[in-house]
Amino acid sequence: SATSAKALCLHGALHWAITSWSGFLMMLDGPNKQLLLVAHQKGFLHSFSLLGFGSALYMGCFPKVTPERANLCFWLMAGGAWVSFVFDNNAAFINSALPLAAEKAGATADPESLNATLLKLSAMAMGVGSMLLCVGMDLALLMGKSSDKKKN
């Protein structure tokens, strides 16, 4: 679990750094600026998610999670974040997005496109990965206690 936790944090830091630089894409002529801004904001939110879950996993907040499940969660969450990064930015260049984003950004709404499908799958991957970690949490920590008697 510690290796998966560190990997989540590493990807969170790398995702943050690359997302920071992706803001300069807004200087280009052509892509939809509102969709680029959405991609930029989502990139930071995904970075926070990877960093937060990686830190919580490392600190032992999910004691019932096996190393194999932690690794699966790493692939789902980190993979989902990177797929989202690529296809959120791509949406700005093809000026096509899911309906709500398209309406707000003046883009074409195409929820059945490959780009939109991959965005939906990336969201599901991150959601499933996070829930697989959460079902292994130490519920006593929700009340400021730990079920691990050695650490109280």
Side-chain angles (χ1 to χ4, degrees), residues 48-95:
F48 288 140
S49 297
L50 297 175
L51 290 165
F53 274 97
S55 298
L57 181 60
Y58 190 77
M59 294 300 297
C61 296
F62 310 114
K64 299 172 193 158
V65 172
T66 65
E68 294 78 19
R69 184 187 298 176
N71 186 258
L72 174 62
C73 294
F74 159 72
W75 284 106
L76 288 167
M77 295 181 72
W82 288 113
V83 168
S84 180
F85 178 83
V86 169
F87 291 97
D88 278 324
N89 280 290
N90 188 55
F93 284 89
I94 64 174
N95 201 34

Coordinates of all heavy atoms in Angstrom, one line a residue, residues 48-95:
F48 N -5.3 17.5 -6.7 CA -5.6 17.5 -5.3 C -6.2 16.1 -4.9 O -5.9 15.6 -3.8 CB -6.7 18.5 -4.9 CG -6.2 19.9 -4.9 CD1 -7.0 20.9 -5.5 CD2 -5.0 20.3 -4.4 CE1 -6.6 22.3 -5.5 CE2 -4.5 21.6 -4.4 CZ -5.3 22.6 -5.0
S49 N -7.0 15.5 -5.7 CA -7.5 14.2 -5.4 C -6.4 13.1 -5.3 O -6.4 12.4 -4.3 CB -8.5 13.8 -6.5 OG -9.6 14.6 -6.6
L50 N -5.5 13.1 -6.2 CA -4.4 12.2 -6.2 C -3.5 12.4 -5.0 O -3.2 11.4 -4.3 CB -3.6 12.2 -7.5 CG -4.3 11.9 -8.8 CD1 -3.3 12.1 -10.0 CD2 -4.8 10.5 -8.7
L51 N -3.2 13.6 -4.7 CA -2.4 14.0 -3.5 C -3.1 13.6 -2.2 O -2.5 13.0 -1.3 CB -2.0 15.4 -3.5 CG -1.0 15.9 -4.6 CD1 -1.0 17.4 -4.7 CD2 0.4 15.3 -4.3
G52 N -4.4 13.9 -2.1 CA -5.2 13.7 -0.9 C -5.3 12.2 -0.6 O -5.1 11.7 0.5
F53 N -5.8 11.4 -1.7 CA -5.9 10.0 -1.5 C -4.6 9.3 -1.2 O -4.5 8.4 -0.4 CB -6.7 9.4 -2.6 CG -8.2 9.5 -2.5 CD1 -8.9 10.5 -3.1 CD2 -8.9 8.6 -1.7 CE1 -10.3 10.6 -3.0 CE2 -10.3 8.6 -1.6 CZ -11.0 9.7 -2.2
G54 N -3.6 9.7 -1.9 CA -2.2 9.1 -1.7 C -1.8 9.4 -0.3 O -1.3 8.5 0.4
S55 N -2.0 10.6 0.2 CA -1.5 10.9 1.6 C -2.4 10.1 2.6 O -1.8 9.6 3.6 CB -1.7 12.4 1.8 OG -0.9 13.1 1.0
A56 N -3.7 10.0 2.4 CA -4.5 9.3 3.3 C -4.2 7.8 3.3 O -4.1 7.2 4.4 CB -6.0 9.5 3.0
L57 N -3.9 7.3 2.2 CA -3.5 5.9 2.1 C -2.2 5.6 2.8 O -2.0 4.7 3.6 CB -3.4 5.4 0.6 CG -3.0 4.0 0.3 CD1 -4.0 3.0 0.9 CD2 -2.9 3.7 -1.2
Y58 N -1.2 6.5 2.6 CA 0.1 6.4 3.3 C 0.0 6.5 4.8 O 0.7 5.9 5.5 CB 1.0 7.5 2.7 CG 2.5 7.3 3.1 CD1 3.3 6.3 2.5 CD2 3.0 8.1 4.2 CE1 4.6 6.1 2.9 CE2 4.3 7.9 4.6 CZ 5.1 6.9 4.0 OH 6.4 6.7 4.4
M59 N -0.9 7.4 5.2 CA -1.1 7.6 6.7 C -1.9 6.5 7.4 O -2.1 6.5 8.6 CB -1.8 9.0 6.9 CG -0.9 10.1 6.5 SD 0.7 10.2 7.4 CE 0.1 10.4 9.1
G60 N -2.4 5.5 6.6 CA -3.1 4.4 7.2 C -4.6 4.6 7.4 O -5.2 3.9 8.2
C61 N -5.2 5.6 6.7 CA -6.6 5.8 6.9 C -7.5 4.7 6.3 O -8.7 4.6 6.5 CB -7.0 7.1 6.2 SG -6.2 8.5 7.0
F62 N -6.9 3.8 5.4 CA -7.6 2.8 4.8 C -6.9 1.4 5.1 O -6.4 0.7 4.3 CB -7.6 2.9 3.2 CG -8.0 4.3 2.8 CD1 -7.1 5.2 2.2 CD2 -9.3 4.8 3.0 CE1 -7.5 6.4 1.7 CE2 -9.7 6.0 2.6 CZ -8.8 6.8 1.9
P63 N -7.0 1.0 6.4 CA -6.3 -0.2 6.9 C -6.8 -1.5 6.3 O -6.1 -2.5 6.3 CB -6.4 -0.2 8.4 CG -7.7 0.6 8.6 CD -7.7 1.6 7.5
K64 N -8.0 -1.5 5.8 CA -8.6 -2.8 5.3 C -8.2 -2.9 3.8 O -8.7 -3.9 3.2 CB -10.1 -2.8 5.5 CG -10.5 -2.7 6.9 CD -12.0 -2.5 7.1 CE -12.3 -2.2 8.5 NZ -13.6 -1.5 8.6
V65 N -7.5 -2.0 3.2 CA -7.2 -2.1 1.8 C -5.9 -2.9 1.6 O -4.9 -2.6 2.2 CB -7.0 -0.7 1.2 CG1 -6.4 -0.8 -0.3 CG2 -8.3 0.0 1.2
T66 N -6.0 -4.0 0.8 CA -4.8 -4.8 0.6 C -3.9 -4.1 -0.4 O -4.3 -3.2 -1.1 CB -5.2 -6.1 -0.1 OG1 -5.8 -5.9 -1.4 CG2 -6.2 -6.9 0.8
P67 N -2.6 -4.5 -0.5 CA -1.7 -3.9 -1.5 C -2.2 -4.1 -2.9 O -2.0 -3.2 -3.7 CB -0.4 -4.6 -1.2 CG -0.4 -5.0 0.2 CD -1.9 -5.4 0.5
E68 N -2.8 -5.2 -3.2 CA -3.3 -5.4 -4.5 C -4.5 -4.4 -4.9 O -4.5 -3.9 -6.0 CB -3.8 -6.9 -4.7 CG -2.8 -7.9 -4.6 CD -2.3 -8.2 -3.2 OE1 -3.0 -7.9 -2.2 OE2 -1.2 -8.8 -3.0
R69 N -5.4 -4.2 -3.9 CA -6.5 -3.3 -4.1 C -5.9 -1.8 -4.2 O -6.4 -1.1 -5.0 CB -7.5 -3.3 -3.0 CG -8.7 -2.4 -3.4 CD -9.7 -2.2 -2.3 NE -10.4 -3.5 -2.0 CZ -11.3 -3.6 -1.0 NH1 -11.6 -2.5 -0.3 NH2 -11.8 -4.7 -0.8
A70 N -4.9 -1.5 -3.4 CA -4.3 -0.2 -3.5 C -3.7 0.1 -4.8 O -3.8 1.2 -5.4 CB -3.3 0.0 -2.4
N71 N -3.1 -1.0 -5.4 CA -2.5 -0.8 -6.7 C -3.6 -0.6 -7.8 O -3.4 0.2 -8.7 CB -1.6 -2.0 -7.0 CG -0.9 -1.9 -8.3 OD1 -1.2 -2.4 -9.4 ND2 0.2 -1.1 -8.3
L72 N -4.7 -1.4 -7.7 CA -5.8 -1.2 -8.6 C -6.3 0.2 -8.5 O -6.6 0.9 -9.5 CB -6.9 -2.2 -8.3 CG -8.2 -2.1 -9.1 CD1 -7.9 -2.2 -10.6 CD2 -9.2 -3.0 -8.6
C73 N -6.5 0.7 -7.3 CA -7.0 2.1 -7.1 C -6.0 3.1 -7.7 O -6.4 4.1 -8.3 CB -7.2 2.4 -5.6 SG -8.5 1.3 -4.9
F74 N -4.7 2.9 -7.5 CA -3.7 3.7 -8.2 C -4.0 3.8 -9.7 O -4.0 4.9 -10.2 CB -2.3 3.3 -7.9 CG -1.3 3.8 -8.8 CD1 -0.9 5.1 -8.8 CD2 -0.8 3.0 -9.8 CE1 0.0 5.6 -9.7 CE2 0.1 3.5 -10.8 CZ 0.5 4.8 -10.7
W75 N -4.1 2.7 -10.3 CA -4.2 2.7 -11.8 C -5.5 3.4 -12.2 O -5.6 4.1 -13.2 CB -4.1 1.3 -12.3 CG -2.7 0.8 -12.4 CD1 -2.2 -0.1 -11.5 CD2 -1.7 1.2 -13.2 NE1 -0.8 -0.3 -11.8 CE2 -0.5 0.5 -12.9 CE3 -1.7 2.1 -14.3 CZ2 0.7 0.7 -13.6 CZ3 -0.4 2.3 -15.0 CH2 0.7 1.6 -14.6
L76 N -6.6 3.1 -11.5 CA -7.9 3.7 -11.8 C -7.9 5.2 -11.6 O -8.3 6.0 -12.5 CB -9.0 3.1 -10.9 CG -9.4 1.7 -11.3 CD1 -10.3 1.1 -10.2 CD2 -10.2 1.7 -12.6
M77 N -7.3 5.7 -10.5 CA -7.3 7.1 -10.2 C -6.3 7.9 -11.0 O -6.6 8.9 -11.6 CB -7.1 7.3 -8.7 CG -8.3 6.8 -7.9 SD -8.1 7.0 -6.1 CE -8.4 8.8 -6.1
A78 N -5.0 7.4 -11.0 CA -4.0 8.1 -11.8 C -4.3 8.0 -13.3 O -4.3 9.0 -14.0 CB -2.6 7.6 -11.5
G79 N -4.7 6.9 -13.7 CA -5.1 6.7 -15.1 C -6.3 7.6 -15.5 O -6.3 8.3 -16.6
G80 N -7.3 7.6 -14.7 CA -8.5 8.5 -14.9 C -8.1 9.9 -15.0 O -8.6 10.7 -15.8
A81 N -7.2 10.4 -14.1 CA -6.8 11.8 -14.1 C -6.0 12.1 -15.4 O -6.3 13.2 -16.0 CB -5.9 12.1 -12.9
W82 N -5.1 11.3 -15.8 CA -4.4 11.6 -17.0 C -5.2 11.5 -18.3 O -5.1 12.3 -19.2 CB -3.2 10.6 -17.2 CG -2.1 11.0 -16.2 CD1 -1.7 10.2 -15.1 CD2 -1.3 12.2 -16.1 NE1 -0.7 10.9 -14.4 CE2 -0.4 12.1 -15.0 CE3 -1.3 13.3 -16.9 CZ2 0.5 13.1 -14.7 CZ3 -0.4 14.3 -16.6 CH2 0.5 14.2 -15.5
V83 N -6.1 10.5 -18.4 CA -7.1 10.4 -19.5 C -7.9 11.7 -19.6 O -8.1 12.3 -20.6 CB -7.9 9.2 -19.5 CG1 -9.1 9.2 -20.5 CG2 -7.1 7.9 -19.7
S84 N -8.4 12.1 -18.4 CA -9.2 13.4 -18.3 C -8.4 14.6 -18.8 O -8.9 15.4 -19.5 CB -9.7 13.6 -16.9 OG -10.5 14.8 -16.9
F85 N -7.1 14.7 -18.3 CA -6.3 15.8 -18.7 C -6.2 15.9 -20.3 O -6.3 16.9 -20.9 CB -4.9 15.6 -18.1 CG -3.9 16.7 -18.5 CD1 -3.9 17.9 -17.8 CD2 -3.0 16.5 -19.5 CE1 -3.1 18.9 -18.2 CE2 -2.2 17.5 -19.9 CZ -2.2 18.7 -19.2
V86 N -5.9 14.7 -20.9 CA -5.7 14.7 -22.3 C -7.0 15.1 -23.1 O -7.0 15.9 -24.0 CB -5.2 13.3 -22.8 CG1 -5.2 13.2 -24.3 CG2 -3.7 13.1 -22.3
F87 N -8.1 14.5 -22.7 CA -9.3 14.6 -23.5 C -10.1 15.9 -23.1 O -10.9 16.4 -23.9 CB -10.1 13.4 -23.5 CG -9.4 12.3 -24.3 CD1 -8.7 11.3 -23.6 CD2 -9.5 12.3 -25.6 CE1 -8.0 10.4 -24.4 CE2 -8.8 11.3 -26.4 CZ -8.1 10.4 -25.8
D88 N -9.9 16.4 -21.9 CA -10.4 17.8 -21.6 C -9.7 18.8 -22.4 O -10.4 19.7 -22.9 CB -10.2 18.1 -20.1 CG -11.3 17.5 -19.2 OD1 -12.5 17.4 -19.6 OD2 -11.0 17.1 -18.1
N89 N -8.4 18.7 -22.5 CA -7.7 19.7 -23.4 C -8.1 19.5 -24.9 O -8.2 20.5 -25.6 CB -6.2 19.6 -23.2 CG -5.8 20.3 -21.9 OD1 -5.8 21.5 -21.9 ND2 -5.4 19.6 -20.9
N90 N -8.2 18.2 -25.3 CA -8.6 17.9 -26.7 C -9.9 18.5 -27.0 O -10.1 19.0 -28.1 CB -8.6 16.4 -26.9 CG -8.7 16.1 -28.4 OD1 -8.0 16.6 -29.2 ND2 -9.7 15.3 -28.7
A91 N -10.8 18.5 -26.0 CA -12.2 19.1 -26.3 C -12.1 20.5 -26.7 O -12.9 21.0 -27.6 CB -13.0 18.9 -25.0
A92 N -11.2 21.3 -26.1 CA -11.0 22.7 -26.5 C -10.5 22.8 -27.9 O -10.9 23.8 -28.6 CB -10.0 23.4 -25.5
F93 N -9.7 21.9 -28.4 CA -9.1 22.0 -29.7 C -10.1 21.5 -30.8 O -10.1 22.0 -31.9 CB -7.8 21.2 -29.8 CG -6.7 21.9 -29.2 CD1 -6.4 21.7 -27.8 CD2 -5.9 22.8 -29.9 CE1 -5.3 22.4 -27.2 CE2 -4.8 23.5 -29.3 CZ -4.5 23.3 -27.9
I94 N -11.0 20.6 -30.4 CA -12.0 20.2 -31.4 C -13.3 20.9 -31.2 O -14.3 20.7 -32.0 CB -12.2 18.6 -31.3 CG1 -12.7 18.2 -30.0 CG2 -10.9 17.9 -31.7 CD1 -13.1 16.7 -29.9
N95 N -13.4 21.8 -30.2 CA -14.6 22.6 -29.9 C -15.8 21.7 -29.7 O -16.9 22.0 -30.2 CB -14.8 23.7 -30.9 CG -15.6 24.8 -30.4 OD1 -15.6 25.1 -29.2 ND2 -16.5 25.4 -31.2

